Amino acid sequence: MLKQLYIRNFTLIDTLDIEFHPGFSVITGETGAGKSIILGAIGLLLGQRADSKTIKQGTEKCVIEAHFDLSSYAMQDFFNQNDIEYDATDCIVRRELTASGKSRAFINDTPAPLSMLKELGEQLIDIHSQHQNLLLSKQDFQLNVVDIIAKDDAKLTKYKEAFAQLQDTERQLSALEEDIARNRQNADFLQFQYDELSGARLVDGEQEELEQKSETMTHAEDIKQALFEAESSLNGDEKGASSQVKDALNALQGISTILPATASLAERLDSCYIELKDIASEVSSLMDDTEFDPSELDAVNNRLDRINELEQKYHCNTVAELIEQRDEIEKKLNAIENSDDMLEEMRQQYAQQKAQCQKRADELTQVRTKAAKEIEKQLCSRLVPLGMPNVRFDIRIDAGTLRRSGQDDIAFLFSANTSTPLQPISQVASGGEVARVMLALKAMISGAVKLPTIIFDEIDTGVSGKIAEKMAEIMQEMGAQERQVISITHLPQIAALGTHHYKVEKSETRMGTISQMHQLSQDDRIREIAQMLSGSDVSEAAINNAKELLKI
């Protein structure tokens, strides 16, 4: 419930600080006095986009702040989920605008994005303006009314989950069909690619091995010459390293008995001799193995050329990548071969999910049909006292295609008299009739969702007299059910039934035109309603009429 509204520097308002009360309240004032300005300020608190032009001329900053009592409504989850301090008796929502175009929002002094402000605002206040009457012709609005009265949130959630799963499977099925069609068109080409790569008999690591072999064979003569020279240096008859080391070894061994210190040197030299002989043997073996075979070199180079050709053709850098691509092509070929089975399996899955979705949709239709009958009954009973004694109202529900909201096509059919057949309400209802239907629907909806505050902005358009009084009684009834109802009205019959009465008026000051709002005392209220009855010249008869309306 809205407890207090504070506005500073907003269009024609210097400062406004006013308290509101539970139950049914009314706001009156001449056209252009500033009632729409106050609604605009509240709209900003509900997350509407801001315009720096709305800041009062000559000021740098505009502040709009509201205090709400949420103690009768279960709203703590919102604050917990958004990590905002929760005070059930005093929830503060503030919006600040600067002349430079900056906008900031706060919930209980915690900075909040507009999306969060809007989410909270939808749970706090419902502003019903004249243009909202146009919603009555929209199928989405009509369906939402039925769902609210049906209280089918759980069934609707289950249906939406089933429908989302069905859509996901449908996308997968479509993608699979496209892939299969595309792969089948490329089947011959894929087979050629697989045969080519498979026929190459690729082995991971062979490219590096072949490159090394090619390098060795290309320089075979140089290698053999170097090995020959090394072998000669080691094993030459007179000057070979092995022969000279052997001579040195013999010399040391010959004096080791008379010079014991040479014994250890002889042992070390013996180890060197053995190592040299071993090296010489390996060099000799390498020399024997190194042969230049032009045909083998050609074979190695041809294999390398083939590998390089495949890498270039398939945009690969290694044999491993070629093998990976070959395996991927094989998978595609296997998928083509098994595509009929895969497609059939997914089509069966889709059919099962569609049947499940259809079942959920049928369940929704059942509860909606039951709720529609209740709405028809309640709405007619509410409209008869509002000057429609012969009203007929029917909610037609036809089965359509499955979609996110279900399968139901909703139509509100209406007739205000016995001679006119039932037709879509937007085609036959007058402005005043639409206003009364919307008020009756709002009364039903507010009882189902328990919205804290409802503001009716001139919902009385097109009605007067006794009908206006009946509309006020409905709003009064709504306000008595743990909610706050505020009606902006030009009709004295409605203004008189408000528990609290506020007036918006405009005045001229040295600083320009300003708009103000204040709560009326009982005497002021009598005069205001008398003025609404008779115009600017308030007669004694108008005063008495006003007292009669106020039951004073």
Side-chain angles (χ1 to χ4, degrees):
M1 182 192 80
L2 178 61
K3 297 194 303 179
Q4 183 179 5
L5 179 64
Y6 172 79
I7 304 173
R8 178 163 58 85
N9 298 334
F10 184 69
T11 64
L12 298 180
I13 298 175
D14 277 337
T15 302
L16 173 67
D17 190 358
I18 196 158
E19 292 183 1
F20 289 91
H21 308 276
F24 179 41
S25 300
V26 294
I27 300 175
T28 60
E30 295 180 0
T31 301
K35 298 185 293 296
S36 61
I37 294 174
I38 294 169
L39 282 181
I42 294 174
L44 290 177
L45 289 177
L46 304 183
Q48 292 179 4
R49 291 195 174 278
D51 185 346
S52 59
K53 294 178 182 177
T54 57
I55 299 176
K56 186 173 176 59
Q57 191 172 4
T59 63
E60 292 297 318
K61 184 179 180 181
C62 161
V63 177
I64 303 166
E65 182 176 288
H67 293 247
F68 295 89
D69 184 348
L70 309 179
S71 54
S72 298
Y73 305 92
M75 296 181 64
Q76 186 166 356
D77 285 349
F78 171 86
F79 294 86
N80 292 341
Q81 290 167 7
N82 292 287
D83 197 23
I84 296 174
E85 183 179 349
Y86 177 66
D87 184 342
T89 59
D90 191 24
C91 171
I92 306 171
V93 179
R94 186 169 76 256
R95 188 85 181 269
E96 298 178 358
L97 312 177
T98 64
S100 62
K102 292 183 179 179
S103 169
R104 297 194 302 168
F106 302 87
I107 301 173
N108 289 340
D109 291 326
T110 299
L114 284 188
S115 58
M116 188 185 299
L117 204 65
K118 186 174 182 181
E119 183 183 351
L120 177 61
E122 288 174 349
Q123 301 178 61
L124 294 176
I125 298 178
D126 175 24
I127 299 179
H128 181 89
S129 57
Q130 291 182 53
H131 79 272
Q132 274 196 308
N133 289 340
L134 299 174
L135 291 174
L136 197 53
S137 64
K138 305 294 185 184
Q139 189 178 117
D140 287 349
F141 174 79
Q142 296 175 0
L143 180 61
N144 191 42
V145 168
V146 174
D147 281 334
I148 289 172
I149 302 304
K151 297 182 179 179
D152 57 10
D153 288 353
K155 290 185 181 298
L156 187 56
T157 298
K158 286 183 179 179
Y159 169 79
K160 286 180 177 179
E161 290 172 353
F163 183 71
Q165 190 176 34
L166 180 67
Q167 281 188 310
D168 187 51
T169 302
E170 187 176 24
R171 284 190 291 268
Q172 292 180 34
L173 178 58
S174 179
L176 179 62
E177 288 174 339
E178 289 177 6
D179 286 345
I180 289 172
R182 185 168 51 251
N183 287 339
R184 279 178 175 166
Q185 289 177 349
N186 296 330
D188 291 342
F189 180 63
L190 289 171
Q191 188 64 55
F192 168 77
Q193 288 184 316
Y194 175 75
D195 291 342
E196 184 175 49
L197 290 172
S198 181
R201 300 185 182 280
L202 299 165
V203 177
D204 191 13
E206 69 169 318
Q207 187 174 18
E208 293 78 6
E209 185 180 337
L210 288 169
E211 286 172 347
Q212 181 60 54
K213 194 170 185 178
S214 174
E215 183 73 12
T216 299
M217 295 179 70
T218 300
H219 298 88
E221 291 300 325
D222 294 335
I223 293 170
K224 195 162 187 175
Q225 178 63 34
L227 291 173
F228 174 76
E229 291 176 359
E231 200 272 340
S232 297
S233 297
L234 291 170
N235 278 342
D237 291 340
E238 295 181 0
K239 295 183 179 180
S242 298
S243 177
Q244 293 187 39
V245 168
K246 180 63 174 176
D247 290 343
L249 175 60
N250 291 335
L252 290 174
Q253 286 176 337
I255 61 172
S256 60
T257 54
I258 55 177
L259 184 60
T262 61
S264 62
L265 293 175
E267 287 179 5
R268 288 167 60 192
L269 199 58
D270 186 46
S271 296
C272 290
Y273 176 71
I274 293 170
E275 183 67 16
L276 281 172
K277 292 294 288 181
D278 187 56
I279 292 171
S281 176
E282 288 192 29
V283 169
S284 180
S285 178
L286 283 172
M287 187 170 61
D288 291 340
D289 292 341
T290 303
E291 297 290 343
F292 176 67
D293 185 349
S295 61
E296 187 178 358
L297 178 61
D298 287 343
V300 170
N301 287 336
N302 287 339
R303 179 61 174 171
L304 283 171
D305 289 344
R306 179 57 176 157
I307 291 173
N308 290 328
E309 178 187 347
L310 290 173
E311 287 176 344
Q312 186 174 6
K313 183 175 181 178
Y314 290 93
H315 306 290
C316 297
N317 296 315
T318 64
V319 171
E321 290 180 14
L322 282 173
I323 292 172
E324 184 179 350
Q325 194 160 144
R326 177 200 66 196
D327 294 343
E328 199 62 38
I329 292 171
E330 185 178 21
K331 288 180 183 178
K332 288 182 179 180
L333 288 170
N334 290 335
I336 292 172
E337 186 176 344
N338 301 323
S339 59
D340 289 339
D341 293 339
M342 293 171 60
L343 196 58
E344 181 59 27
E345 182 179 349
M346 183 157 284
R347 282 173 176 165
Q348 287 180 4
Q349 181 182 348
Y350 177 77
Q352 291 170 359
Q353 290 179 354
K354 188 171 184 179
Q356 179 67 16
C357 197
Q358 184 65 57
K359 180 183 175 184
R360 302 279 190 203
D362 291 340
E363 291 173 354
L364 266 179
T365 300
Q366 289 175 11
V367 294
R368 285 169 173 170
T369 301
K370 183 178 179 181
K373 297 301 178 186
E374 182 64 25
I375 295 170
E376 292 167 1
K377 179 181 175 182
Q378 283 196 41
L379 197 65
C380 287
S381 68
R382 290 176 181 273
L383 290 175
V384 169
L386 293 177
M388 299 184 192
N390 299 313
V391 68
R392 286 177 294 152
F393 185 82
D394 183 66
I395 299 177
R396 188 179 67 205
I397 302 178
D398 297 322
T401 58
L402 293 175
R403 50 189 178 275
R404 191 172 184 274
S405 60
Q407 65 180 343
D408 303 313
D409 292 327
I410 300 284
F412 282 7
L413 305 180
F414 174 85
S415 175
N417 51 70
T418 55
S419 61
T420 305
L422 285 165
Q423 295 183 57
I425 192 167
S426 60
Q427 297 177 17
V428 295
S430 66
E433 288 168 343
V434 167
R436 282 174 273 176
V437 171
M438 282 298 286
L439 176 60
L441 284 174
K442 286 280 183 175
M444 293 172 60
I445 291 170
S446 66
V449 298
K450 296 192 179 302
L451 195 67
T453 300
I454 302 173
I455 300 176
F456 290 107
D457 181 16
E458 299 184 2
I459 196 173
D460 48 38
T461 300
V463 298
S464 60
K466 205 69 178 171
I467 304 305
E469 186 178 348
K470 291 295 182 183
M471 292 179 73
E473 288 174 357
I474 289 177
M475 288 186 275
Q476 196 176 48
E477 177 191 340
M478 292 169 64
Q481 297 173 357
E482 290 191 352
R483 69 180 49 79
Q484 181 183 53
V485 178
I486 301 170
S487 177
I488 297 173
T489 182
H490 288 293
L491 298 180
Q493 293 86 352
I494 292 179
L497 286 185
T499 307
H500 304 278
H501 191 153
Y502 302 85
K503 183 175 181 178
V504 179
E505 51 190 345
K506 193 164 55 176
S507 60
E508 297 294 332
T509 69
R510 288 183 306 163
M511 302 300 293
T513 305
I514 63 169
S515 182
Q516 296 175 314
M517 177 178 174
H518 56 275
Q519 186 171 348
L520 298 181
S521 66
Q522 187 177 59
D523 289 342
D524 290 337
R525 191 174 185 189
I526 293 170
R527 185 168 184 81
E528 171 70 6
I529 292 176
Q531 191 171 6
M532 293 173 74
L533 285 165
S534 63
S536 56
D537 295 326
V538 179
S539 64
E540 188 66 28
I543 293 288
N544 291 332
N545 197 358
K547 289 180 178 179
E548 186 178 345
L549 284 175
L550 288 165
K551 295 180 174 57
I552 295 175

